[in-house]
Amino acid sequence: MRLGPKPAVLGLQILCASAAGAGDAEELHYAQGEHRTDYDREALLGGQEEVDEYVKLTPEEQHKRLKSIIKKIDLDSDGFLTESELSSWIQMSFKHYAMQEAKQQFVEYDKNSDGSVSWDEYNIQMYDRVIDFDENTALDDAEEESFRQLHLKDKKRFEKANQYLDPGLNLEEFIAFEHPEEVDYMTEFVIQEALEEHDKNGDGFVSLEEFLGDYRRDPTNEDPEWILVEKDRFLNDYDKDADGRLDPQELLSWVVPNNQGIAQEEALHLIDEMDLNSDRKLSEAEILENQDLFLTSEATDYGRQLHDEYFYHDEL
């Protein structure tokens, strides 16, 4: 069997590639340690069309919508935005746009408009045809075998998302399929899938060696920089109990993007840059004084919230 276009493989790597992709984006976002607002606006505002739309807003309308957003972030209505309030708002924004994207995809994948997405419809949208692999028969070609394994993992995740065992996924289940990290009943599946991929000795944990994958240290040379970075992440970010291995919960923090951590970092960044009186919180006046910075941050999804009534409308 000769497979279709190889880029389709990318669509199957949602879980295992997201963490690595986030690392690449972070390097571009903070090139040489410097925060690039041009990257914020160009890469994350949502494309050239939305950038152009942002520019079309009058200063008065920008000001009005921004003040409305500030009011909503201020949960206790005390006139100040704290790190916690900013972080909560940014996390809510992440989830909102992930859900909106999944809802748009659902309509595209539901070919017969019956309110559910079947496995065949998913295949047709992804690959222009229905693909069916034998679970027990490996392919000779290494690249095609890799695709088969990824496709089978995708099918397994699809089946796990199907709570009610209907012929297809409803919208809620489709969101669970596309964003299992956002749905409680998918957590165990995410953990087990990660263990199957990385836990080579089957002990239920991921050691540093398993974490590093195929890398084998050359005793005659120093470890390359990327290995040192990965070791540091393993020891300081993921191995919370310092026992030299990742248990299932620690593993989850590795394989699922940590939106909470990203949101907290951005909240701290905004306070560091915009807090003029050093009280570790932001007033409306301080934000408006630094409006451009606020509009090129995750707090407003790089300005996109000014074009989304969900955020700036009086009732959220």
Side-chain angles (χ1 to χ4, degrees):
M1 172 182 181
R2 182 58 54 181
L3 300 179
K6 299 305 179 189
V9 176
L10 296 176
L12 293 163
Q13 297 175 321
I14 295 172
L15 293 179
C16 57
S18 56
D24 294 340
E26 191 72 4
E27 290 181 10
L28 292 172
H29 192 183
Y30 291 91
Q32 298 180 336
E34 295 295 324
H35 183 250
R36 289 185 54 210
T37 56
D38 61 324
Y39 174 81
D40 292 343
R41 188 165 296 184
E42 293 169 12
L44 299 171
L45 185 59
Q48 188 59 44
E49 182 177 339
E50 286 186 273
V51 172
D52 292 342
E53 185 64 26
Y54 167 81
V55 173
K56 290 177 184 177
L57 281 180
T58 65
E60 292 77 15
E61 186 63 23
Q62 282 189 21
H63 194 80
K64 177 182 176 182
R65 294 186 185 183
L66 181 55
K67 289 179 72 172
S68 178
I69 290 172
I70 293 169
K71 184 178 179 181
K72 291 190 175 76
I73 300 174
D74 183 14
L75 295 176
D76 60 8
S77 302
D78 68 347
F80 299 95
L81 306 189
T82 64
E83 176 196 338
S84 177
E85 288 172 329
L86 284 164
S87 177
S88 295
W89 177 266
I90 292 168
Q91 289 178 70
M92 182 275 292
S93 175
F94 287 160
K95 186 168 184 176
H96 170 73
Y97 284 116
M99 297 304 101
Q100 289 298 103
E101 181 181 6
K103 289 176 182 178
Q104 293 171 2
Q105 289 177 326
F106 183 82
V107 174
E108 296 170 1
Y109 283 59
D110 182 14
K111 300 300 183 182
N112 62 3
S113 302
D114 67 346
S116 69
V117 174
S118 68
W119 177 242
D120 285 354
E121 287 176 321
Y122 173 77
N123 274 264
I124 291 170
Q125 177 66 24
M126 288 290 291
Y127 316 111
D128 294 324
R129 67 188 188 283
V130 176
I131 298 176
D132 185 24
F133 287 112
D134 185 340
E135 293 185 18
N136 302 311
T137 304
L139 302 178
D140 294 333
D141 182 87
E143 195 170 352
E144 293 185 356
E145 173 59 15
S146 177
F147 180 86
R148 185 185 78 92
Q149 292 289 340
L150 289 168
H151 190 266
L152 290 173
K153 285 184 178 181
D154 226 24
K155 185 176 182 181
K156 190 175 179 181
R157 189 168 83 251
F158 189 96
E159 292 171 347
K160 180 64 178 178
N162 189 351
Q163 291 188 96
Y164 306 110
L165 304 180
D166 294 327
L169 304 183
N170 61 30
L171 176 58
E172 176 188 349
E173 293 168 331
F174 184 77
I175 289 173
F177 170 67
E178 287 291 325
H179 298 282
E181 73 280 0
E182 299 287 356
V183 182
D184 288 342
Y185 78 85
M186 294 294 287
T187 299
E188 185 62 29
F189 172 81
V190 172
I191 292 172
Q192 288 304 314
E193 187 174 59
L195 283 172
E196 288 175 10
E197 181 173 354
H198 301 287
D199 178 21
K200 303 303 182 184
N201 63 7
D203 66 351
F205 300 88
V206 173
S207 66
L208 176 59
E209 183 180 37
E210 290 168 332
F211 177 82
L212 295 176
D214 295 330
Y215 175 74
R216 294 295 178 268
R217 188 175 187 278
D218 181 353
T220 63
N221 293 308
E222 294 183 359
D223 287 332
E225 180 66 24
W226 72 270
I227 284 292
L228 298 177
V229 170
E230 291 302 304
K231 284 183 176 179
D232 181 74
R233 289 173 63 208
F234 181 93
L235 297 171
N236 297 312
D237 293 342
Y238 305 132
D239 185 17
K240 300 299 184 183
D241 59 9
D243 65 351
R245 60 185 187 176
L246 305 184
D247 62 33
Q249 287 304 312
E250 292 170 332
L251 184 62
L252 191 64
S253 70
W254 170 38
V255 297
V256 173
N258 185 1
N259 285 341
Q260 181 179 355
I262 295 170
Q264 287 175 339
E265 287 181 11
E266 183 69 4
L268 286 171
H269 166 71
L270 288 172
I271 291 174
D272 287 342
E273 294 293 328
M274 302 173 68
D275 178 20
L276 301 179
N277 62 1
S278 302
D279 62 356
R280 303 306 297 163
K281 53 189 177 182
L282 301 180
S283 66
E284 180 182 281
E286 287 173 322
I287 293 171
L288 296 177
E289 178 74 18
N290 294 275
Q291 179 171 316
D292 286 345
L293 176 59
F294 203 68
L295 291 176
T296 52
S297 75
E298 277 132 340
T300 61
D301 198 40
Y302 309 95
R304 184 158 60 154
Q305 291 176 10
L306 271 69
H307 305 280
D308 189 336
E309 288 190 14
Y310 180 85
F311 292 97
Y312 69 78
H313 196 268
D314 287 341
E315 295 182 4
L316 182 58

